[in-house]
Amino acid sequence: RKEVEQDPGPFNVPEGATVAFNCTYSNSASQSFFWYRQDCRKEPKLLMSVYSSGNEDGRFTAQLNRASQYISLLIRDSKLSDSATYLCVVNPRGNTPLVFGKGTRLSVIA
Amino acid sequence: DAGVTQSPTHLIKTRGQQVTLRCSPKSGHDTVSWYQQALGQGPQFIFQYYEEEERQRGNFPDRFSGHQFPNYSSELNVNALLLGDSALYLCASSGEQGRNEKLFFGSGTQLSVL
């Protein structure tokens, strides 16, 4: 089982739609979780950290379910500018390198 | 305040050649991590440098080596290039407040091996 697995893309959604991505991780001792956004041929950028209690930043909501070892990202009222690849990222054991999923590609269509 | 800068932006090499990629970290950061991102994949960790030493290493062969200089900038060297080394090479910098978490990425070097 891969350390971090994500929904295969692409997700093609109309503007204004709500879309959700899921991600599972294999190491139950993993400590930190993140969502990064990567535009085509550009560098990844931190979108948001994911906390046990869940957290929200505008139209974006991240949730962590430790019991089931999955992380989710919900985007409400999708904009054309949300089109990108969303990378699920896990820090497996504290002071260790981040492990990235393959990413899920989102295309928001007018 | 300059962010993470990488050079060159694009590079074309042939099999068997050697390549050196360069990275300057964000101001105030002392740690540099290198990642390889093949097309359609997530970034894969190569190694991390701080205090001019390799501190952590991913599952990459010895053909991949690096260096960190006293000004915290870093180089990634790849010897005996293979076609499979074609990828986007990303440098990420961080500081002591989050060496493995608060990463800032450069825009990468796109390496094509022919």
Side-chain angles (χ1 to χ4, degrees), chain A residues 17-89:
Chain A
T18 296
V19 61
F21 305 138
N22 291 323
C23 165
T24 58
Y25 59 95
S26 60
N27 186 342
S28 60
S30 295
Q31 300 189 5
S32 307
F33 310 89
F34 310 90
W35 285 100
Y36 274 70
R37 171 194 168 127
Q38 186 172 28
D39 293 297
C40 189
R41 313 303 273 179
K42 298 284 184 67
E43 73 272 25
K45 292 183 180 178
L46 178 64
L47 178 64
M48 56 198 307
S49 302
V50 186
Y51 304 116
S52 296
S53 55
N55 48 303
E56 188 172 311
D57 182 3
R59 298 181 293 106
F60 298 83
T61 300
Q63 294 276 355
L64 167 62
N65 184 320
R66 284 191 183 273
S68 301
Q69 293 178 218
Y70 83 77
I71 309 146
S72 64
L73 177 68
L74 182 78
I75 305 175
R76 291 181 298 278
D77 188 23
S78 299
K79 311 291 185 191
L80 294 175
S81 58
D82 294 334
S83 297
T85 295
Y86 290 84
L87 298 161
C88 175
V89 186

Coordinates of all heavy atoms in Angstrom, one line a residue, chain A residues 17-89:
Chain A
A17 N -19.9 24.8 -8.5 CA -20.1 23.5 -8.0 C -19.3 23.3 -6.7 O -18.3 24.0 -6.4 CB -19.7 22.4 -9.0
T18 N -19.7 22.3 -5.9 CA -18.9 21.9 -4.7 C -18.2 20.6 -5.1 O -18.8 19.7 -5.7 CB -19.8 21.7 -3.5 OG1 -20.4 22.9 -3.2 CG2 -19.1 21.1 -2.4
V19 N -17.0 20.5 -4.8 CA -16.2 19.3 -5.1 C -15.4 18.9 -3.9 O -14.9 19.7 -3.1 CB -15.3 19.6 -6.3 CG1 -14.2 20.7 -6.1 CG2 -14.6 18.3 -6.8
A20 N -15.2 17.6 -3.7 CA -14.5 17.0 -2.6 C -13.5 16.0 -3.1 O -13.7 15.2 -4.0 CB -15.5 16.3 -1.6
F21 N -12.3 16.1 -2.5 CA -11.2 15.2 -2.7 C -10.9 14.4 -1.4 O -10.9 15.0 -0.4 CB -9.9 15.9 -3.1 CG -10.1 16.9 -4.3 CD1 -9.4 18.1 -4.2 CD2 -10.8 16.5 -5.4 CE1 -9.6 19.0 -5.3 CE2 -10.9 17.4 -6.5 CZ -10.3 18.6 -6.4
N22 N -10.6 13.1 -1.6 CA -10.2 12.3 -0.5 C -8.8 11.8 -0.6 O -8.3 11.7 -1.8 CB -11.2 11.1 -0.3 CG -12.5 11.5 0.2 OD1 -12.7 12.5 1.0 ND2 -13.6 10.9 -0.4
C23 N -8.2 11.5 0.5 CA -6.8 11.0 0.5 C -6.7 10.0 1.6 O -7.2 10.3 2.7 CB -5.9 12.2 0.6 SG -4.2 11.8 1.0
T24 N -6.0 8.9 1.4 CA -5.8 8.0 2.5 C -4.3 7.9 2.8 O -3.5 8.0 1.8 CB -6.4 6.6 2.2 OG1 -5.8 6.1 1.0 CG2 -7.9 6.6 2.1
Y25 N -3.9 7.6 4.0 CA -2.5 7.4 4.3 C -2.3 6.1 5.1 O -3.2 5.7 5.8 CB -2.0 8.6 5.1 CG -2.7 8.9 6.4 CD1 -2.2 8.4 7.6 CD2 -3.8 9.7 6.5 CE1 -2.8 8.6 8.8 CE2 -4.5 9.9 7.7 CZ -4.0 9.4 8.8 OH -4.6 9.7 10.0
S26 N -1.1 5.5 5.0 CA -1.0 4.2 5.5 C -0.4 4.1 6.9 O -0.6 3.1 7.6 CB 0.0 3.4 4.6 OG 1.2 4.0 4.5
N27 N 0.3 5.1 7.3 CA 1.0 5.1 8.6 C 0.1 5.8 9.7 O -0.1 7.0 9.7 CB 2.3 5.9 8.5 CG 3.1 5.8 9.8 OD1 2.6 5.4 10.8 ND2 4.4 6.0 9.7
S28 N -0.4 4.9 10.6 CA -1.3 5.4 11.6 C -0.7 6.4 12.6 O -1.3 7.1 13.3 CB -2.0 4.3 12.3 OG -0.9 3.5 13.0
A29 N 0.7 6.4 12.6 CA 1.4 7.3 13.5 C 1.7 8.7 12.9 O 2.3 9.5 13.5 CB 2.7 6.6 13.9
S30 N 1.2 8.9 11.7 CA 1.5 10.1 11.0 C 1.0 11.3 11.8 O -0.1 11.2 12.5 CB 0.8 10.2 9.6 OG 1.3 9.2 8.8
Q31 N 1.7 12.4 11.8 CA 1.5 13.5 12.7 C 0.9 14.7 12.1 O 0.1 15.4 12.7 CB 2.8 13.8 13.4 CG 3.3 12.6 14.2 CD 4.4 13.0 15.1 OE1 4.8 14.2 15.2 NE2 5.1 12.1 15.8
S32 N 1.3 15.0 10.9 CA 0.9 16.3 10.3 C 0.4 16.1 8.9 O 0.9 15.2 8.2 CB 2.1 17.3 10.2 OG 2.6 17.4 11.5
F33 N -0.6 16.9 8.5 CA -1.2 16.7 7.2 C -1.5 18.0 6.5 O -1.8 19.0 7.2 CB -2.6 16.0 7.4 CG -2.4 14.7 8.3 CD1 -2.6 14.9 9.7 CD2 -2.2 13.5 7.7 CE1 -2.4 13.8 10.5 CE2 -2.1 12.4 8.5 CZ -2.2 12.5 9.9
F34 N -1.3 18.0 5.2 CA -1.5 19.3 4.4 C -2.1 19.0 3.1 O -2.1 17.9 2.6 CB 0.0 19.9 4.2 CG 0.8 19.9 5.4 CD1 1.6 18.9 5.8 CD2 0.8 21.1 6.2 CE1 2.4 18.9 6.9 CE2 1.6 21.1 7.4 CZ 2.4 20.1 7.7
W35 N -2.6 20.1 2.5 CA -3.0 20.1 1.1 C -2.2 21.2 0.5 O -2.1 22.3 0.9 CB -4.5 20.5 1.0 CG -5.4 19.3 1.3 CD1 -6.1 19.1 2.4 CD2 -5.7 18.2 0.4 NE1 -6.8 17.9 2.3 CE2 -6.6 17.3 1.1 CE3 -5.3 17.8 -0.9 CZ2 -7.1 16.2 0.6 CZ3 -5.8 16.7 -1.4 CH2 -6.7 15.8 -0.7
Y36 N -1.6 20.8 -0.7 CA -0.8 21.8 -1.5 C -1.5 21.9 -2.8 O -2.2 21.0 -3.3 CB 0.6 21.2 -1.8 CG 1.6 21.6 -0.7 CD1 1.6 21.0 0.6 CD2 2.7 22.5 -0.9 CE1 2.5 21.3 1.5 CE2 3.6 22.8 0.0 CZ 3.5 22.2 1.3 OH 4.5 22.5 2.2
R37 N -1.4 23.1 -3.4 CA -1.9 23.3 -4.7 C -0.8 23.5 -5.7 O 0.2 24.1 -5.4 CB -2.8 24.6 -4.7 CG -3.2 25.0 -6.1 CD -3.8 26.4 -6.1 NE -3.9 26.9 -7.5 CZ -5.0 27.4 -8.0 NH1 -6.1 27.5 -7.2 NH2 -5.1 27.8 -9.2
Q38 N -0.9 22.8 -6.9 CA 0.1 23.0 -7.9 C -0.5 23.3 -9.2 O -1.3 22.5 -9.8 CB 1.0 21.7 -8.0 CG 2.2 21.8 -8.9 CD 3.1 20.7 -8.9 OE1 2.7 19.5 -8.6 NE2 4.4 20.9 -9.2
D39 N -0.2 24.5 -9.8 CA -0.6 24.8 -11.1 C 0.3 24.2 -12.1 O 1.4 23.8 -11.8 CB -0.6 26.4 -11.3 CG -1.7 27.0 -10.4 OD1 -2.8 26.7 -10.6 OD2 -1.3 27.8 -9.5
C40 N -0.2 24.1 -13.3 CA 0.5 23.3 -14.4 C 1.9 23.8 -14.6 O 2.2 25.0 -14.8 CB -0.3 23.4 -15.7 SG 0.4 22.4 -17.0
R41 N 2.9 22.9 -14.4 CA 4.3 23.2 -14.6 C 4.9 24.2 -13.6 O 5.9 24.8 -13.9 CB 4.6 23.6 -16.0 CG 3.9 22.8 -17.1 CD 4.3 21.4 -17.0 NE 5.5 21.1 -17.8 CZ 6.1 19.9 -17.8 NH1 5.6 18.9 -17.2 NH2 7.2 19.7 -18.5
K42 N 4.2 24.4 -12.5 CA 4.7 25.4 -11.5 C 5.0 24.6 -10.2 O 4.8 23.4 -10.1 CB 3.6 26.4 -11.2 CG 3.2 27.3 -12.4 CD 4.3 28.3 -12.7 CE 3.9 29.2 -13.8 NZ 2.7 30.1 -13.5
E43 N 5.5 25.3 -9.2 CA 5.8 24.7 -7.9 C 4.6 24.5 -7.1 O 3.6 25.3 -7.1 CB 6.9 25.6 -7.2 CG 6.3 26.8 -6.6 CD 6.4 28.0 -7.5 OE1 6.4 27.8 -8.8 OE2 6.4 29.1 -7.0
P44 N 4.6 23.5 -6.2 CA 3.6 23.3 -5.2 C 3.6 24.5 -4.2 O 4.6 25.0 -3.8 CB 3.9 22.0 -4.5 CG 4.9 21.3 -5.4 CD 5.7 22.4 -6.1
K45 N 2.4 24.9 -3.8 CA 2.2 25.9 -2.8 C 1.3 25.4 -1.7 O 0.2 24.8 -2.0 CB 1.7 27.2 -3.4 CG 2.7 27.9 -4.3 CD 2.2 29.2 -4.9 CE 3.2 29.8 -5.8 NZ 2.8 31.1 -6.4
L46 N 1.6 25.7 -0.5 CA 0.8 25.2 0.6 C -0.6 25.9 0.6 O -0.7 27.1 0.5 CB 1.4 25.6 2.0 CG 0.6 25.2 3.2 CD1 0.4 23.7 3.3 CD2 1.3 25.8 4.5
L47 N -1.6 25.1 0.5 CA -3.0 25.6 0.5 C -3.5 25.7 2.0 O -4.0 26.7 2.4 CB -3.9 24.6 -0.3 CG -5.4 25.0 -0.4 CD1 -5.6 26.3 -1.1 CD2 -6.2 23.9 -1.1
M48 N -3.4 24.6 2.7 CA -3.8 24.6 4.1 C -3.3 23.4 4.8 O -3.1 22.4 4.3 CB -5.3 24.7 4.3 CG -6.1 23.7 3.6 SD -7.9 24.2 3.4 CE -8.4 24.6 5.0
S49 N -3.1 23.6 6.1 CA -2.8 22.5 7.0 C -4.1 21.8 7.4 O -5.1 22.5 7.3 CB -2.0 23.0 8.2 OG -0.8 23.7 7.9
V50 N -4.0 20.6 7.9 CA -5.2 19.9 8.2 C -5.1 19.5 9.7 O -4.2 18.8 10.1 CB -5.4 18.6 7.4 CG1 -6.8 18.0 7.7 CG2 -5.3 18.9 5.9
Y51 N -6.1 19.9 10.5 CA -6.1 19.7 11.9 C -7.2 18.7 12.3 O -8.2 18.5 11.6 CB -6.3 21.0 12.7 CG -5.2 22.1 12.3 CD1 -5.6 23.3 11.7 CD2 -3.9 21.8 12.6 CE1 -4.7 24.2 11.4 CE2 -2.9 22.8 12.2 CZ -3.3 24.0 11.6 OH -2.4 24.9 11.3
S52 N -7.0 18.1 13.4 CA -7.9 17.0 13.9 C -9.3 17.5 14.0 O -10.3 16.8 13.7 CB -7.5 16.5 15.2 OG -6.2 15.8 15.1
S53 N -9.5 18.8 14.4 CA -10.8 19.3 14.5 C -11.4 19.8 13.2 O -12.5 20.3 13.2 CB -10.7 20.5 15.5 OG -9.7 21.5 15.1
G54 N -10.6 19.7 12.2 CA -11.1 20.3 10.9 C -10.8 21.8 10.8 O -10.8 22.4 11.9
N55 N -10.6 22.3 9.7 CA -10.4 23.7 9.6 C -10.9 24.2 8.2 O -11.0 23.5 7.3 CB -8.9 24.1 9.8 CG -8.0 23.2 9.0 OD1 -8.0 22.0 9.1 ND2 -7.1 23.8 8.2
E56 N -11.3 25.5 8.3 CA -11.9 26.1 7.1 C -11.1 27.4 6.8 O -10.7 28.1 7.7 CB -13.3 26.5 7.5 CG -14.2 26.9 6.3 CD -15.7 27.1 6.8 OE1 -16.2 26.1 7.3 OE2 -16.3 28.1 6.5
D57 N -11.0 27.7 5.5 CA -10.4 28.9 5.0 C -11.2 29.4 3.8 O -11.0 28.9 2.7 CB -8.9 28.6 4.7 CG -8.2 29.9 4.2 OD1 -8.8 31.0 4.3 OD2 -7.0 29.8 3.8
G58 N -12.1 30.2 4.1 CA -13.0 30.7 3.0 C -13.8 29.6 2.4 O -14.5 28.9 3.1
R59 N -13.6 29.4 1.1 CA -14.4 28.3 0.4 C -13.8 26.9 0.6 O -14.4 25.9 0.1 CB -14.5 28.6 -1.1 CG -15.1 30.0 -1.4 CD -15.2 30.2 -2.9 NE -13.9 30.5 -3.5 CZ -13.2 29.6 -4.2 NH1 -13.8 28.4 -4.6 NH2 -12.0 29.9 -4.7
F60 N -12.7 26.8 1.3 CA -12.0 25.5 1.5 C -12.2 25.0 2.9 O -12.0 25.7 3.8 CB -10.5 25.7 1.1 CG -10.2 26.2 -0.3 CD1 -10.3 27.5 -0.6 CD2 -9.9 25.2 -1.2 CE1 -10.1 27.9 -1.9 CE2 -9.6 25.7 -2.5 CZ -9.7 27.0 -2.9
T61 N -12.5 23.7 3.0 CA -12.6 23.0 4.3 C -11.8 21.8 4.2 O -12.0 21.0 3.3 CB -14.1 22.7 4.6 OG1 -14.8 23.9 4.6 CG2 -14.2 22.0 5.9
A62 N -11.0 21.6 5.2 CA -10.2 20.3 5.3 C -10.6 19.5 6.5 O -10.9 20.1 7.6 CB -8.7 20.7 5.4
Q63 N -10.7 18.2 6.4 CA -11.0 17.4 7.5 C -10.0 16.2 7.6 O -9.5 15.8 6.6 CB -12.4 16.8 7.3 CG -13.6 17.8 7.2 CD -14.1 18.1 8.6 OE1 -13.7 17.5 9.6 NE2 -15.0 19.0 8.7
L64 N -9.8 15.8 8.9 CA -8.9 14.7 9.1 C -9.7 13.6 9.9 O -10.4 14.0 10.9 CB -7.7 15.1 10.0 CG -6.8 14.1 10.6 CD1 -6.2 13.2 9.5 CD2 -5.8 14.7 11.5
N65 N -9.7 12.4 9.5 CA -10.3 11.3 10.2 C -9.2 10.3 10.5 O -8.8 9.5 9.7 CB -11.4 10.6 9.3 CG -12.1 9.5 10.1 OD1 -11.5 8.7 10.8 ND2 -13.4 9.5 9.9
R66 N -8.7 10.4 11.8 CA -7.5 9.5 12.2 C -7.9 8.1 12.2 O -7.1 7.2 11.9 CB -7.0 10.0 13.5 CG -6.1 11.2 13.4 CD -5.4 11.5 14.7 NE -4.6 12.7 14.7 CZ -3.4 12.8 14.3 NH1 -2.8 11.7 13.8 NH2 -2.7 13.9 14.3
A67 N -9.2 7.8 12.7 CA -9.6 6.4 12.8 C -9.6 5.7 11.5 O -9.2 4.5 11.4 CB -11.0 6.3 13.4
S68 N -10.0 6.4 10.4 CA -10.1 5.8 9.1 C -8.8 6.1 8.3 O -8.7 5.7 7.1 CB -11.3 6.2 8.4 OG -12.5 5.8 9.1
Q69 N -8.0 7.0 8.8 CA -6.7 7.4 8.1 C -7.0 8.0 6.8 O -6.5 7.6 5.7 CB -5.8 6.2 8.0 CG -5.3 5.7 9.4 CD -4.3 4.5 9.3 OE1 -4.4 3.7 10.2 NE2 -3.5 4.4 8.3
Y70 N -7.9 9.0 6.8 CA -8.1 9.7 5.6 C -8.3 11.2 5.8 O -8.6 11.6 6.9 CB -9.3 9.2 4.7 CG -10.7 9.6 5.1 CD1 -11.1 10.9 4.7 CD2 -11.5 8.7 5.7 CE1 -12.4 11.2 5.0 CE2 -12.8 9.1 6.0 CZ -13.3 10.4 5.7 OH -14.5 10.7 6.0
I71 N -8.0 12.0 4.8 CA -8.0 13.4 4.8 C -8.9 13.9 3.6 O -8.9 13.2 2.6 CB -6.6 14.0 4.6 CG1 -5.6 13.4 5.5 CG2 -6.6 15.5 4.7 CD1 -4.2 13.3 4.9
S72 N -9.7 14.9 3.8 CA -10.5 15.4 2.8 C -10.3 16.9 2.6 O -9.9 17.6 3.5 CB -12.0 15.0 3.0 OG -12.4 15.7 4.2
L73 N -10.6 17.3 1.4 CA -10.6 18.7 1.0 C -11.9 19.0 0.3 O -12.2 18.4 -0.7 CB -9.4 19.1 0.2 CG -9.4 20.5 -0.3 CD1 -9.1 21.5 0.9 CD2 -8.3 20.7 -1.4
L74 N -12.7 20.0 0.8 CA -13.9 20.4 0.1 C -13.8 21.8 -0.4 O -13.3 22.7 0.3 CB -15.1 20.3 1.2 CG -16.5 20.7 0.7 CD1 -17.0 19.5 -0.1 CD2 -17.4 21.0 1.8
I75 N -14.1 22.0 -1.6 CA -14.1 23.3 -2.2 C -15.6 23.7 -2.6 O -16.2 23.0 -3.4 CB -13.2 23.3 -3.5 CG1 -11.8 22.8 -3.2 CG2 -13.2 24.8 -4.1 CD1 -10.9 22.7 -4.4
R76 N -16.0 24.8 -2.0 CA -17.4 25.2 -2.4 C -17.3 26.3 -3.4 O -16.3 27.1 -3.5 CB -18.1 25.7 -1.1 CG -18.4 24.7 -0.1 CD -19.1 25.3 1.2 NE -18.2 26.2 1.8 CZ -17.3 25.9 2.7 NH1 -17.1 24.6 3.0 NH2 -16.5 26.8 3.3
D77 N -18.4 26.5 -4.1 CA -18.5 27.6 -5.1 C -17.3 27.7 -6.0 O -16.6 28.7 -6.0 CB -18.8 28.9 -4.3 CG -19.1 30.1 -5.3 OD1 -19.6 29.8 -6.4 OD2 -18.9 31.2 -4.8
S78 N -17.0 26.6 -6.7 CA -15.7 26.5 -7.4 C -15.6 27.7 -8.4 O -16.6 28.1 -9.1 CB -15.7 25.2 -8.2 OG -15.7 24.1 -7.4
K79 N -14.4 28.2 -8.5 CA -14.0 29.3 -9.5 C -13.1 28.7 -10.6 O -12.4 27.7 -10.3 CB -13.3 30.4 -8.7 CG -13.9 30.9 -7.5 CD -15.2 31.6 -7.7 CE -15.7 32.2 -6.4 NZ -17.1 32.7 -6.6
L80 N -13.1 29.4 -11.7 CA -12.2 28.9 -12.8 C -10.8 28.9 -12.3 O -10.0 28.0 -12.6 CB -12.3 29.9 -14.0 CG -13.6 29.9 -14.7 CD1 -13.6 31.0 -15.8 CD2 -13.9 28.6 -15.3
S81 N -10.4 29.8 -11.4 CA -9.0 29.9 -10.9 C -8.7 28.8 -9.9 O -7.5 28.6 -9.5 CB -8.8 31.3 -10.2 OG -9.8 31.4 -9.1
D82 N -9.7 28.0 -9.5 CA -9.4 26.8 -8.7 C -8.8 25.6 -9.5 O -8.3 24.7 -8.9 CB -10.6 26.3 -8.0 CG -11.2 27.3 -7.0 OD1 -10.4 28.1 -6.4 OD2 -12.4 27.3 -6.7
S83 N -8.8 25.7 -10.8 CA -8.3 24.7 -11.7 C -6.8 24.5 -11.4 O -6.0 25.4 -11.5 CB -8.5 25.0 -13.2 OG -9.9 25.1 -13.5
A84 N -6.4 23.3 -11.0 CA -5.1 23.0 -10.6 C -5.0 21.6 -10.1 O -6.0 20.9 -10.2 CB -4.6 23.9 -9.4
T85 N -3.8 21.1 -9.7 CA -3.7 19.8 -9.1 C -3.5 20.0 -7.6 O -2.8 20.8 -7.2 CB -2.4 19.1 -9.7 OG1 -2.6 18.8 -11.1 CG2 -2.2 17.8 -9.0
Y86 N -4.3 19.2 -6.9 CA -4.3 19.3 -5.4 C -3.5 18.1 -4.9 O -3.9 16.9 -5.1 CB -5.7 19.4 -4.9 CG -6.3 20.7 -5.3 CD1 -6.9 20.9 -6.5 CD2 -6.2 21.8 -4.4 CE1 -7.4 22.1 -6.9 CE2 -6.8 23.0 -4.8 CZ -7.3 23.2 -6.0 OH -7.8 24.4 -6.4
L87 N -2.5 18.4 -4.1 CA -1.6 17.3 -3.6 C -1.9 17.1 -2.1 O -1.9 18.1 -1.3 CB -0.1 17.7 -3.7 CG 0.4 17.9 -5.2 CD1 1.6 18.8 -5.2 CD2 0.6 16.6 -5.8
C88 N -2.1 15.9 -1.7 CA -2.3 15.5 -0.3 C -0.9 15.2 0.2 O -0.1 14.4 -0.4 CB -3.2 14.3 -0.3 SG -3.4 13.6 1.4
V89 N -0.6 15.7 1.4 CA 0.8 15.6 1.9 C 0.8 15.2 3.3 O 0.0 15.8 4.1 CB 1.5 17.0 1.7 CG1 3.0 16.8 2.1 CG2 1.4 17.5 0.3

